[in-house]
Amino acid sequence: MLHVYFNLRKEKQNQKGLAPVRMIITHGSKKIRKVVPSVKVMPKYWSNQRIKPNLKSEPYNYHVEFNMILDDIDRKIRHIYRESLLTGKPITKDYILQRLDGKPTSMARIDFVDALDEFVATHRSVRAASTIKKYRSTIQFIKDFAEARSFELFFESIDIKFIEAFRDYAFLERHTLNNYYGKLIAFVKTFMNWALDRGYHNNLEFKKFKRTAEDIEVIYLTMDELLSLYHFDFNSRRLSMVRDLYCFGCFTGLRFSDLKALRPAHVFEDHLRMTLHKTRSTDHKIPLNKMAKEILERYQGTVYEPIPRISGQKFNEYIKECCERVGIDELICTTRYIGQRRVDQTRPKYELITSHTARKTFVTNSLILGMNERVLKNITGHKDDASFKRYVDIAENFKQREMSNTWDKI
């Protein structure tokens, strides 16, 4: 077994009273000693192999930076040890010191693509089926890139050259939108961190990769549009049920995954209680307004109780048809970016309505109607303040326009 610890060379104090820190590695009967470059500390601040913060009245002693260096060395040595076990490399002083200096590793023997498949396999029991599906799609994208660009995928090749080639392939050949490209990079970083924890590599270049994310337009139905859709007579059972399912999402703020999971046992007199699919928030309470109750009453005692269910693909197709019939056809301009290339599109609003817009409709209209933000976040289970703020901004802009359209005309 290998052990790592640090001690202070007090006998080596300089004129300022600073002593160097020494790393000591023990492996069986062997000991490897080496002074840690650039890390020096006064003995009174040394405790439990790390540097304590000094008094506020004294000059800063760099305890944060120096402790990060020591932590990084400790982590690297443990990875080197796991690497030696997997590759059969003997633990020697020269081998460890060379690895700490960043010399090439034989860990490239572990196949990168096999590790990708292992990553999916190890997450199958702890991730939703939809997440696993996204993982597989992203992995296929990476494999397509490697084949198209004749790029050899192994752990040590995931560096700045990889990210430049991958970026050009995504934007120039696949015409990938920036936000999706950002998700691809997020996956690469997650995978490389996972592999790093297992000692499959010592390549830290991936930590420099930056994920890009751009705000996009929030598409939602105004209250007038929502009520027009809700009261419209379609003379079609198929479209009426799709409308009811969509409107129920607009009246409760439930995600489509939660609507599909809704069962009679989740329904109480004036609220729902269920575990939310995405956040796994257990026993989550969602109050029911009168329109939501009306929809539940329509299907009570039927085979569709509590509400109809349909596949996401068919739902998104049919809800567009519903909104087109209702006349929700205001022209909406959307802007997206592929790298630096701007892509503007103008389409009727009904073409942009999907299952995702129901939740956005609930949040936006609730804020416009004056619902308390804290209460609303509790109902919807929002965790991300930044994404929620976008709805707040939209509501505030709506109120300002209404003020201008009323009082300012007097």
Side-chain angles (χ1 to χ4, degrees), residues 105-116:
T105 174
S106 57
M107 286 303 293
R109 292 181 190 174
I110 297 176
D111 187 76
F112 185 90
V113 175
D114 287 346
L116 285 170

Side-chain angles (χ1 to χ4, degrees), residues 268-301:
F268 295 82
E269 183 176 352
D270 60 353
H271 67 276
L272 306 174
R273 278 192 181 276
M274 64 186 304
T275 297
L276 300 183
H277 185 77
K278 183 174 182 179
T279 61
R280 301 186 182 182
S281 175
T282 58
D283 200 33
H284 191 82
K285 182 177 179 180
I286 304 101
L288 294 171
N289 56 38
K290 64 178 183 180
M291 281 82 78
K293 291 178 182 178
E294 286 174 0
I295 293 174
L296 291 174
E297 288 170 2
R298 289 176 194 170
Y299 297 97
Q300 190 172 9

Side-chain angles (χ1 to χ4, degrees), residues 171 176-184 211-216 336-337:
F171 291 150
T176 304
L177 295 175
N178 286 8
N179 281 359
Y180 183 63
Y181 174 73
K183 293 178 181 178
L184 295 173
R211 175 184 175 178
T212 58
E214 297 173 348
D215 287 339
I216 61 175
R336 301 290 184 271
Y337 285 89

Side-chain angles (χ1 to χ4, degrees), residues 136-378:
R136 294 194 181 282
S137 175
T138 302
I139 289 171
Q140 189 58 53
F141 192 105
I142 294 171
K143 291 178 179 178
D144 291 344
F145 152 73
E147 182 178 353
R149 291 298 181 93
S150 300
F151 191 96
E152 286 192 73
L153 287 174
F154 53 94
F155 287 109
E156 297 302 328
S157 70
I158 307 302
D159 55 15
I160 188 64
K161 291 183 179 179
F162 161 81
I163 207 67
E164 289 173 347
F166 189 65
R167 178 195 62 204
D168 291 346
Y169 169 77
F171 291 150
L172 301 179
E173 296 185 36
R174 295 288 289 267
H175 307 292
T176 304
L177 295 175
N178 286 8
N179 281 359
Y180 183 63
Y181 174 73
K183 293 178 181 178
L184 295 173
I185 297 303
F187 173 84
V188 171
K189 296 187 70 169
T190 297
F191 167 71
M192 290 293 286
N193 262 318
W194 172 86
L196 183 67
D197 288 341
R198 278 154 183 76
Y200 290 176
H201 69 91
N202 287 314
N203 177 15
L204 300 180
E205 288 297 305
F206 74 93
K207 291 186 177 290
K208 300 176 184 177
F209 299 169
K210 302 295 184 184
R211 175 184 175 178
T212 58
E214 297 173 348
D215 287 339
I216 61 175
E217 304 84 2
V218 176
I219 306 299
Y220 69 98
L221 296 185
T222 65
M223 185 57 71
D224 288 342
E225 291 170 335
L226 175 58
L227 293 179
S228 296
L229 175 65
Y230 179 60
H231 293 296
F232 193 85
D233 184 6
F234 285 104
N235 292 321
S236 164
R237 186 170 183 81
R238 169 178 62 90
L239 295 182
S240 294
M241 288 195 298
V242 169
R243 180 270 314 278
D244 288 344
L245 181 58
Y246 180 81
C247 285
F248 194 78
C250 294
F251 296 144
T252 61
L254 287 174
R255 296 180 178 86
F256 188 70
S257 57
D258 295 320
L259 293 174
K260 288 175 63 176
L262 193 64
R263 297 294 183 268
H266 298 139
V267 181
F268 295 82
E269 183 176 352
D270 60 353
H271 67 276
L272 306 174
R273 278 192 181 276
M274 64 186 304
T275 297
L276 300 183
H277 185 77
K278 183 174 182 179
T279 61
R280 301 186 182 182
S281 175
T282 58
D283 200 33
H284 191 82
K285 182 177 179 180
I286 304 101
L288 294 171
N289 56 38
K290 64 178 183 180
M291 281 82 78
K293 291 178 182 178
E294 286 174 0
I295 293 174
L296 291 174
E297 288 170 2
R298 289 176 194 170
Y299 297 97
Q300 190 172 9
T302 72
V303 295
Y304 303 108
E305 188 178 4
I307 53 175
R309 286 182 288 277
I310 186 174
S311 71
Q313 183 178 357
K314 287 296 184 183
F315 178 85
N316 286 331
E317 177 185 339
Y318 295 156
I319 193 58
K320 290 177 173 58
E321 184 180 348
C322 289
C323 291
E324 183 179 14
R325 288 201 188 186
V326 173
I328 302 174
D329 54 8
E330 175 191 0
L331 292 179
I332 302 292
C333 180
T334 60
T335 300
R336 301 290 184 271
Y337 285 89
I338 300 174
Q340 292 300 314
R341 180 161 64 91
R342 175 170 170 157
V343 180
D344 293 316
Q345 284 188 316
T346 300
R347 289 178 288 177
K349 191 172 188 177
Y350 64 82
E351 290 187 5
L352 302 174
I353 300 303
T354 66
S355 58
H356 297 300
T357 60
R359 180 174 167 84
K360 296 174 182 178
T361 295
F362 173 75
V363 175
T364 306
N365 283 302
S366 294
L367 288 168
I368 289 172
L369 292 172
M371 185 180 290
N372 180 279
E373 291 179 25
R374 185 175 177 180
V375 173
L376 179 57
K377 286 179 69 175
N378 181 268

